[in-house]
Amino acid sequence: MSRPHRWADRLLKLPGGRKGKWLTLITWLIIVVASVPLAGQLSEIEKDELTIELPRGAESTDVAGLADRFADGKISLGIVVYVRDSGLTAEDKAKVASDIKEFASFAAGEVGPARPSDDGKALTAFVPLDKEDSTALADNAEKVRDRATADRPDGLEAKLTGPAGNSLDAADARESTGRALTLITVLVVAALLLITYRSAILWLLPLLTVGVAFLTTQAVSYLLAKGFGLTVGGGNEIVVTALLFGVGTDYAMLLLARYREELRVHEDRHEAMQTAVRRAVPAIAASAATVSIGLLCLTQADVGFNYTLGPAGAIAIICGLAAMTTLFPAVLVILGRWVFWPNVPRAGVAVKNANHRLWDRVGGRISRRPRLVWIGSALVLTVLALGSLGLKTGLDDEHLIVGKPGSIAGQELLADHYPAGQSRPAEVISKAGAAPAVAAALKGIDGVAEVAAPEKSTDGTLASTRAVLKDSPDSAAAARTVDRIRTAVHAVPGADAQVGGPTAMAQEKTEAQAHDRKVVIPLVLAVVFLILVVLLRALVAPLLLMATVVLSYFAALGISWQLFQHVLGFPAVDIQVMLIGFLFLVALGVDYNIFLIHRIREEVGHRGHRAGVLSGLTSTGGVITSAGAVLAATFAALTTAPQVAFIEIGIVVAIGVLIDTFLVRSVLVPALALDVGRTFWWPGRPVGTDTAPLAAGEQPTPAAVPAGSRGGGV
């Protein structure tokens, strides 16, 4: 054995060694102690969510980046709208005047008199708030909202909207989602682990280890942000949490299953763990590499959410891999066999295994007509994929969040009584000397309701001119108006004008998402394919596996689109769902295929191709199915979030994982492997490959694992 191989072998044996287990535990205790204060500081360096989500290099992003050069660039405007449908009363006006005096005590600038609507039914107060400190902004925005809604005369509506209102609602949603998601995920995973292992103690260990991995992820992210400029966005923490809990628990279950196998062979639990780690970790590491490298493909994305999710997700996967392949086995060996109580595995003691019998029967039926099985499975997936026909992308403001938060209700009130774009105008940044010409050009544009006086930057070189749109900022009519604005101001000589604002941002985010799909999806496919080629030393198998996961993705998308339309009432799919859903389903779908094919390849080398395929299916069937159920459940927990984008991502990924677990991995892939024969491994060939067919009704020889291993192993 070469020196690198000896080094790797010693490293794999360390967590299961008599001394190594304690060294591993002590090392992780030091890591945890060091991680606690670092993780606590992560929220302090998170970037503003709006800035994070903007497309890199877009015109509206450049406009947002110039905000600090203006006096109000550090201001987040809170717009409080008061409405009485029957017309404002003297008591209503007194309430508004009193509120404005109160707002002045925590505003970052002057709070002018309330602006009345033409119909006499509404008054609007503009409250500038300091946005430099996100925590202080949220606190002050909450004070504005509380003051506006307190002591109202009966029948008077009061809503906080504008940038400050939007930020407050987003912060409330993110905070409540984070707490609820973590709690629900822990409860769901705990329940599934209890059902799977029926042990009073064992279910707790994977959760504790994932918790350590989560803490480490936050600490590493903080260090990389401080030392290397990693951009940290709070918005993608929700998705990363689901990913880490799901994948981390999967890794624990796969290692645990193999360890239980070895405990029925070895008297010494240290030997059992060292053998389990040596056999299971290569497949787990290959899986982690596939997912993390796939996530890093997002660094080629333009949309900020995608770009920051890539490194954040990869860090989580790597930390999860480290914890589950070192800390978890060390703790298991330290605690001993009793953690499996009441079903303690004993060396040489065989027990009946219902899962093996089930997967023996499944494999036997597939082996009789593998071609018919894989063609039928592919047709089922194709029919399901047809459900995505007519899919629409892009949600309007009304459907971004389930229910109606105050900021959205406030925007609707503004639209009813003022020009629809009052709360979110278009903004044009130009050279100061050209500002009058820019303002004149804006006033002549169809769809512009009013144009504010230009405001100069603090250094006097730039000017900001805001234009209120007649139509709702998220409407197609507003988008066309912004196109006309761009055409007009770009033509102003010497202005170097750039157009931003919410409508322009939404347009460019849609365009950037289209770019990201065109760039990232082919890149992910290429990277994952190359990883499979290197891992399997084959070309045919990787091509077939990639085809199955892509087909699985479109089937999941078809089912999800029908649910969104006809059950949940979502009129469209959020623009982020297509790419994020594809990435997760391809990477995670290949994950389970790696676990399956790794075991099949091991069995084929000993037993021949057909028997090896079926014994590999038998050995891994129970554990991979359980792992798939856990992963699907963790992503399904995203449906508790109020943000529609997260709900849709959770549904697409959960359905896709279930399809991949119960149809693709358990039926379609084994049928393809059987029908293709040893060509499946071309141009390589596992030692001992045999293409002799099984007779009708013949069952494969049982897998070379003890009969008592419930669920098998990787």
Side-chain angles (χ1 to χ4, degrees):
M1 181 181 293
S2 66
R3 187 179 301 275
H5 287 170
R6 288 200 300 270
W7 177 83
D9 192 55
R10 286 198 298 269
L11 187 62
L12 287 174
K13 287 183 177 180
L14 184 65
R18 297 182 185 279
K19 295 181 179 178
K21 63 188 179 186
W22 295 109
L23 177 61
T24 302
L25 179 61
I26 292 170
T27 301
W28 273 102
L29 288 174
I30 294 172
I31 292 173
V32 169
V33 170
S35 296
V36 170
L38 297 175
Q41 299 177 68
L42 184 63
S43 60
E44 299 175 6
I45 60 172
E46 289 179 350
K47 301 295 184 181
D48 178 71
E49 188 173 1
L50 174 61
T51 305
I52 286 294
E53 291 191 352
L54 295 180
R56 296 186 294 164
E59 191 173 333
S60 60
T61 305
D62 292 340
V63 170
L66 294 170
D68 288 344
R69 296 181 61 178
F70 292 85
D72 64 354
K74 298 179 180 180
I75 296 299
S76 181
L77 189 64
I79 302 175
V80 185
V81 55
Y82 301 85
V83 173
R84 183 183 291 275
D85 290 336
S86 60
L88 294 169
T89 66
E91 187 181 8
D92 297 336
K93 295 176 182 178
K95 155 69 175 170
V96 175
S98 174
D99 285 354
I100 289 176
K101 290 180 180 179
E102 185 69 23
F103 295 155
S105 64
F106 41 81
E110 182 181 355
V111 182
R115 177 183 173 183
S117 62
D118 291 340
D119 60 11
K121 298 179 180 180
L123 281 170
T124 301
F126 297 87
V127 187
L129 299 174
D130 187 353
K131 70 176 182 181
E132 287 293 281
D133 184 338
S134 59
T135 302
L137 172 60
D139 290 342
N140 288 330
E142 189 170 9
K143 290 177 183 176
V144 172
R145 184 177 63 187
D146 292 346
R147 175 61 189 174
T149 55
D151 303 322
R152 285 173 294 145
D154 290 342
L156 178 67
E157 287 188 81
K159 300 292 183 183
L160 172 64
T161 186
N166 294 335
S167 295
L168 179 60
D169 285 340
D172 288 346
R174 190 163 59 244
E175 183 179 357
S176 63
T177 299
R179 289 196 302 265
L181 176 66
T182 302
L183 177 61
I184 291 172
T185 300
V186 169
L187 291 176
V188 168
V189 172
L192 289 172
L193 290 173
L194 275 169
I195 293 170
T196 301
Y197 295 112
R198 299 171 216 149
S199 168
I201 301 296
L202 192 57
W203 65 272
L204 187 59
L205 300 183
L207 286 176
L208 291 176
T209 311
V210 170
V212 171
F214 183 72
L215 181 68
T216 308
T217 297
Q218 292 184 311
V220 171
S221 298
Y222 175 80
L223 291 174
L224 291 177
K226 295 294 286 186
F228 299 94
L230 175 74
T231 302
V232 178
N236 50 39
E237 182 180 339
I238 294 170
V239 177
V240 171
T241 299
L243 179 66
L244 178 57
F245 269 86
V247 172
T249 306
D250 277 4
Y251 294 164
M253 295 177 73
L254 294 163
L255 179 60
L256 194 57
R258 196 69 188 242
Y259 176 48
R260 186 165 49 186
E261 285 187 24
E262 300 303 331
L263 284 174
R264 298 194 187 281
V265 176
H266 300 278
E267 290 284 353
D268 187 346
R269 68 181 188 277
H270 300 86
E271 292 180 10
M273 179 57 78
Q274 289 176 333
T275 302
V277 168
R278 188 172 64 251
R279 292 180 177 176
V281 167
I284 294 173
S287 161
T290 303
V291 178
S292 57
I293 295 175
L295 282 163
L296 288 176
C297 291
L298 286 173
T299 58
Q300 302 305 305
D302 280 347
V303 175
F305 179 87
N306 300 338
Y307 178 78
T308 56
L309 177 61
I315 291 169
I317 293 296
I318 293 170
C319 290
L321 172 69
M324 289 303 172
T325 56
T326 58
L327 176 61
F328 185 58
V331 171
L332 284 173
V333 174
I334 288 171
L335 294 178
R337 295 174 185 259
W338 71 271
V339 297
F340 289 92
W341 184 87
N343 301 307
V344 179
R346 302 292 183 187
V349 178
V351 297
K352 294 181 179 180
N353 192 326
N355 272 329
H356 272 194
R357 291 198 298 271
L358 170 63
W359 290 103
D360 276 341
R361 290 196 297 270
V362 170
R365 293 182 179 180
I366 293 173
S367 69
R368 294 188 186 107
R369 289 192 176 92
R371 184 168 301 175
L372 180 63
V373 170
W374 76 255
I375 291 175
S377 300
L379 285 175
V380 168
L381 293 174
T382 301
V383 171
L384 294 175
L386 293 176
S388 63
L389 294 177
L391 183 145
K392 299 176 183 177
T393 59
L395 292 167
D396 55 25
D397 289 346
E398 186 179 349
H399 294 93
L400 290 176
I401 296 179
V402 174
K404 188 175 291 185
S407 59
I408 298 298
Q411 288 172 18
E412 292 178 355
L413 291 176
L414 282 175
D416 289 340
H417 301 280
Y418 298 88
Q422 179 74 49
S423 65
R424 294 180 296 166
E427 182 178 12
V428 181
I429 301 291
S430 66
K431 289 185 176 179
V438 168
L442 288 171
K443 290 176 182 177
I445 296 173
D446 181 31
V448 173
E450 57 187 76
V451 178
E455 174 195 5
K456 285 189 177 182
S457 60
T458 52
D459 62 6
T461 61
L462 299 175
S464 171
T465 308
R466 291 185 172 90
V468 175
L469 308 181
K470 291 180 180 178
D471 300 293
S472 176
D474 63 344
S475 66
R480 291 192 292 269
T481 300
V482 167
D483 289 337
R484 291 192 289 270
I485 289 174
R486 282 205 168 110
T487 301
V489 301
H490 288 170
V492 175
D496 292 340
Q498 294 180 297
V499 181
T503 304
M505 289 176 185
Q507 280 182 296
E508 290 178 331
K509 280 179 67 175
T510 300
E511 293 168 2
Q513 281 287 0
H515 162 272
D516 290 355
R517 290 195 295 270
K518 291 177 183 177
V519 171
V520 176
I521 287 177
L523 185 59
V524 169
L525 290 174
V527 166
V528 173
F529 174 72
L530 289 176
I531 292 174
L532 287 175
V533 169
V534 172
L535 179 67
L536 301 179
R537 303 180 200 124
L539 288 176
V540 174
L543 284 171
L544 293 175
L545 294 178
M546 293 300 296
T548 62
V549 295
V550 171
L551 185 56
S552 175
Y553 164 73
F554 282 106
L557 197 61
I559 296 174
S560 300
W561 175 232
Q562 297 305 312
L563 286 175
F564 297 159
Q565 290 184 97
H566 304 300
V567 177
L568 299 176
F570 300 155
V573 174
D574 187 85
I575 56 175
Q576 294 176 163
V577 172
M578 301 285 286
L579 176 60
I580 302 303
F582 179 87
L583 172 65
F584 283 167
L585 286 182
V586 168
L588 297 173
V590 167
D591 235 22
Y592 292 125
N593 281 323
I594 286 175
F595 300 143
L596 171 65
I597 298 302
H598 182 270
R599 186 58 180 260
I600 286 177
R601 186 181 179 87
E602 179 182 332
E603 296 293 337
V604 165
H606 297 297
R607 312 161 68 78
H609 180 75
R610 293 179 68 85
V613 169
L614 294 172
S615 62
L617 172 63
T618 298
S619 299
T620 62
V623 65
I624 295 181
T625 300
S626 298
V630 169
L631 185 61
T634 57
F635 273 95
L638 286 174
T639 59
T640 61
Q643 299 95 328
V644 172
F646 290 144
I647 294 173
E648 292 182 338
I649 289 173
I651 290 174
V652 170
V653 176
I655 291 175
V657 168
L658 291 176
I659 290 174
D660 189 79
T661 300
F662 291 99
L663 179 57
V664 175
R665 198 276 314 160
S666 58
V667 177
L668 178 56
V669 170
L672 278 170
L674 288 171
D675 191 36
V676 173
R678 65 179 179 181
T679 304
F680 189 76
W681 309 104
W682 185 89
R685 180 180 178 184
V687 177
T689 297
D690 179 14
T691 56
L694 295 177
E698 181 183 354
Q699 297 294 318
T701 306
V705 294
S709 61
R710 182 185 298 121
V714 181

mmCIF file of all heavy atoms in Angstrom, residues 14 20-35 212 326-327:
data_model
loop_
_atom_site.group_PDB
_atom_site.id
_atom_site.type_symbol
_atom_site.label_atom_id
_atom_site.label_comp_id
_atom_site.label_asym_id
_atom_site.label_seq_id
_atom_site.Cartn_x
_atom_site.Cartn_y
_atom_site.Cartn_z
ATOM 1 N N LEU A 14 -9.027 6.181 13.041
ATOM 2 C CA LEU A 14 -8.844 6.946 14.273
ATOM 3 C C LEU A 14 -10.100 7.033 15.148
ATOM 4 O O LEU A 14 -10.044 6.741 16.349
ATOM 5 C CB LEU A 14 -8.331 8.348 13.936
ATOM 6 C CG LEU A 14 -7.996 9.244 15.132
ATOM 7 C CD1 LEU A 14 -6.816 8.663 15.919
ATOM 8 C CD2 LEU A 14 -7.670 10.657 14.655
ATOM 9 N N GLY A 20 -7.986 6.558 19.863
ATOM 10 C CA GLY A 20 -8.424 7.540 18.876
ATOM 11 C C GLY A 20 -9.810 8.098 19.150
ATOM 12 O O GLY A 20 -10.085 9.272 18.867
ATOM 13 N N LYS A 21 -10.693 7.280 19.721
ATOM 14 C CA LYS A 21 -12.048 7.759 19.994
ATOM 15 C C LYS A 21 -12.023 8.916 20.987
ATOM 16 O O LYS A 21 -12.767 9.890 20.849
ATOM 17 C CB LYS A 21 -12.921 6.611 20.507
ATOM 18 C CG LYS A 21 -12.448 6.025 21.841
ATOM 19 C CD LYS A 21 -13.219 4.771 22.227
ATOM 20 C CE LYS A 21 -12.686 4.210 23.544
ATOM 21 N NZ LYS A 21 -13.322 2.918 23.883
ATOM 22 N N TRP A 22 -11.143 8.796 22.004
ATOM 23 C CA TRP A 22 -11.050 9.864 23.005
ATOM 24 C C TRP A 22 -10.367 11.103 22.430
ATOM 25 O O TRP A 22 -10.778 12.232 22.720
ATOM 26 C CB TRP A 22 -10.285 9.364 24.233
ATOM 27 C CG TRP A 22 -11.003 8.267 24.948
ATOM 28 C CD1 TRP A 22 -10.665 6.954 25.005
ATOM 29 C CD2 TRP A 22 -12.220 8.392 25.691
ATOM 30 N NE1 TRP A 22 -11.576 6.234 25.732
ATOM 31 C CE2 TRP A 22 -12.548 7.098 26.176
ATOM 32 C CE3 TRP A 22 -13.061 9.455 26.011
ATOM 33 C CZ2 TRP A 22 -13.672 6.850 26.954
ATOM 34 C CZ3 TRP A 22 -14.184 9.217 26.781
ATOM 35 C CH2 TRP A 22 -14.479 7.933 27.246
ATOM 36 N N LEU A 23 -9.354 10.888 21.614
ATOM 37 C CA LEU A 23 -8.688 12.014 20.966
ATOM 38 C C LEU A 23 -9.664 12.760 20.064
ATOM 39 O O LEU A 23 -9.693 14.003 20.043
ATOM 40 C CB LEU A 23 -7.492 11.509 20.150
ATOM 41 C CG LEU A 23 -6.720 12.570 19.354
ATOM 42 C CD1 LEU A 23 -6.134 13.615 20.294
ATOM 43 C CD2 LEU A 23 -5.619 11.912 18.527
ATOM 44 N N THR A 24 -10.491 12.010 19.338
ATOM 45 C CA THR A 24 -11.492 12.626 18.456
ATOM 46 C C THR A 24 -12.505 13.427 19.265
ATOM 47 O O THR A 24 -12.853 14.564 18.913
ATOM 48 C CB THR A 24 -12.217 11.542 17.640
ATOM 49 O OG1 THR A 24 -11.263 10.797 16.876
ATOM 50 C CG2 THR A 24 -13.243 12.169 16.709
ATOM 51 N N LEU A 25 -13.000 12.840 20.348
ATOM 52 C CA LEU A 25 -13.986 13.533 21.183
ATOM 53 C C LEU A 25 -13.402 14.814 21.778
ATOM 54 O O LEU A 25 -14.057 15.873 21.770
ATOM 55 C CB LEU A 25 -14.467 12.604 22.295
ATOM 56 C CG LEU A 25 -15.496 13.198 23.265
ATOM 57 C CD1 LEU A 25 -16.771 13.593 22.520
ATOM 58 C CD2 LEU A 25 -15.810 12.219 24.387
ATOM 59 N N ILE A 26 -12.175 14.743 22.293
ATOM 60 C CA ILE A 26 -11.545 15.925 22.896
ATOM 61 C C ILE A 26 -11.355 17.017 21.850
ATOM 62 O O ILE A 26 -11.592 18.205 22.110
ATOM 63 C CB ILE A 26 -10.195 15.538 23.542
ATOM 64 C CG1 ILE A 26 -10.439 14.647 24.762
ATOM 65 C CG2 ILE A 26 -9.402 16.781 23.937
ATOM 66 C CD1 ILE A 26 -9.183 14.014 25.331
ATOM 67 N N THR A 27 -10.936 16.617 20.646
ATOM 68 C CA THR A 27 -10.756 17.590 19.563
ATOM 69 C C THR A 27 -12.056 18.312 19.252
ATOM 70 O O THR A 27 -12.086 19.546 19.106
ATOM 71 C CB THR A 27 -10.231 16.890 18.300
ATOM 72 O OG1 THR A 27 -8.980 16.252 18.588
ATOM 73 C CG2 THR A 27 -10.043 17.889 17.162
ATOM 74 N N TRP A 28 -13.138 17.561 19.197
ATOM 75 C CA TRP A 28 -14.431 18.179 18.894
ATOM 76 C C TRP A 28 -14.925 19.051 20.048
ATOM 77 O O TRP A 28 -15.582 20.076 19.815
ATOM 78 C CB TRP A 28 -15.466 17.124 18.534
ATOM 79 C CG TRP A 28 -15.431 16.796 17.077
ATOM 80 C CD1 TRP A 28 -14.874 15.705 16.475
ATOM 81 C CD2 TRP A 28 -15.949 17.605 16.027
ATOM 82 N NE1 TRP A 28 -15.013 15.780 15.116
ATOM 83 C CE2 TRP A 28 -15.672 16.932 14.807
ATOM 84 C CE3 TRP A 28 -16.620 18.815 15.973
ATOM 85 C CZ2 TRP A 28 -16.054 17.443 13.561
ATOM 86 C CZ3 TRP A 28 -17.001 19.332 14.742
ATOM 87 C CH2 TRP A 28 -16.716 18.649 13.557
ATOM 88 N N LEU A 29 -14.625 18.668 21.278
ATOM 89 C CA LEU A 29 -15.005 19.521 22.408
ATOM 90 C C LEU A 29 -14.294 20.870 22.320
ATOM 91 O O LEU A 29 -14.886 21.920 22.589
ATOM 92 C CB LEU A 29 -14.665 18.828 23.731
ATOM 93 C CG LEU A 29 -15.563 17.642 24.115
ATOM 94 C CD1 LEU A 29 -15.032 16.966 25.374
ATOM 95 C CD2 LEU A 29 -17.006 18.098 24.318
ATOM 96 N N ILE A 30 -13.033 20.846 21.919
ATOM 97 C CA ILE A 30 -12.283 22.102 21.741
ATOM 98 C C ILE A 30 -12.901 22.928 20.622
ATOM 99 O O ILE A 30 -13.060 24.149 20.734
ATOM 100 C CB ILE A 30 -10.795 21.792 21.443
ATOM 101 C CG1 ILE A 30 -10.141 21.136 22.658
ATOM 102 C CG2 ILE A 30 -10.053 23.068 21.049
ATOM 103 C CD1 ILE A 30 -8.739 20.617 22.396
ATOM 104 N N ILE A 31 -13.273 22.253 19.524
ATOM 105 C CA ILE A 31 -13.891 22.948 18.394
ATOM 106 C C ILE A 31 -15.205 23.602 18.816
ATOM 107 O O ILE A 31 -15.494 24.752 18.456
ATOM 108 C CB ILE A 31 -14.121 21.968 17.222
ATOM 109 C CG1 ILE A 31 -12.780 21.539 16.630
ATOM 110 C CG2 ILE A 31 -15.009 22.599 16.145
ATOM 111 C CD1 ILE A 31 -12.891 20.449 15.582
ATOM 112 N N VAL A 32 -16.010 22.886 19.585
ATOM 113 C CA VAL A 32 -17.300 23.423 20.030
ATOM 114 C C VAL A 32 -17.102 24.646 20.921
ATOM 115 O O VAL A 32 -17.771 25.673 20.752
ATOM 116 C CB VAL A 32 -18.107 22.342 20.770
ATOM 117 C CG1 VAL A 32 -19.308 22.953 21.472
ATOM 118 C CG2 VAL A 32 -18.570 21.270 19.790
ATOM 119 N N VAL A 33 -16.178 24.544 21.868
ATOM 120 C CA VAL A 33 -15.920 25.669 22.781
ATOM 121 C C VAL A 33 -15.467 26.895 21.993
ATOM 122 O O VAL A 33 -15.893 28.032 22.266
ATOM 123 C CB VAL A 33 -14.862 25.278 23.830
ATOM 124 C CG1 VAL A 33 -14.415 26.505 24.621
ATOM 125 C CG2 VAL A 33 -15.412 24.215 24.766
ATOM 126 N N ALA A 34 -14.623 26.685 20.988
ATOM 127 C CA ALA A 34 -14.149 27.806 20.175
ATOM 128 C C ALA A 34 -15.234 28.346 19.260
ATOM 129 O O ALA A 34 -15.235 29.538 18.916
ATOM 130 C CB ALA A 34 -12.941 27.368 19.350
ATOM 131 N N SER A 35 -16.173 27.487 18.861
ATOM 132 C CA SER A 35 -17.200 27.886 17.892
ATOM 133 C C SER A 35 -18.312 28.719 18.499
ATOM 134 O O SER A 35 -18.912 29.545 17.802
ATOM 135 C CB SER A 35 -17.810 26.637 17.232
ATOM 136 O OG SER A 35 -16.848 25.940 16.476
ATOM 137 N N VAL A 212 -23.898 20.020 16.453
ATOM 138 C CA VAL A 212 -22.487 20.413 16.493
ATOM 139 C C VAL A 212 -22.037 20.885 15.109
ATOM 140 O O VAL A 212 -21.319 21.888 14.985
ATOM 141 C CB VAL A 212 -21.613 19.235 16.977
ATOM 142 C CG1 VAL A 212 -20.125 19.554 16.800
ATOM 143 C CG2 VAL A 212 -21.909 18.922 18.437
ATOM 144 N N THR A 326 -16.394 11.532 11.966
ATOM 145 C CA THR A 326 -15.390 11.500 13.036
ATOM 146 C C THR A 326 -16.048 11.513 14.415
ATOM 147 O O THR A 326 -15.924 10.560 15.181
ATOM 148 C CB THR A 326 -14.410 12.690 12.903
ATOM 149 O OG1 THR A 326 -15.151 13.918 12.937
ATOM 150 C CG2 THR A 326 -13.629 12.606 11.602
ATOM 151 N N LEU A 327 -16.771 12.581 14.721
ATOM 152 C CA LEU A 327 -17.393 12.692 16.043
ATOM 153 C C LEU A 327 -18.440 11.607 16.258
ATOM 154 O O LEU A 327 -18.473 10.963 17.321
ATOM 155 C CB LEU A 327 -18.023 14.077 16.198
ATOM 156 C CG LEU A 327 -18.810 14.322 17.489
ATOM 157 C CD1 LEU A 327 -17.911 14.168 18.707
ATOM 158 C CD2 LEU A 327 -19.465 15.693 17.470
#
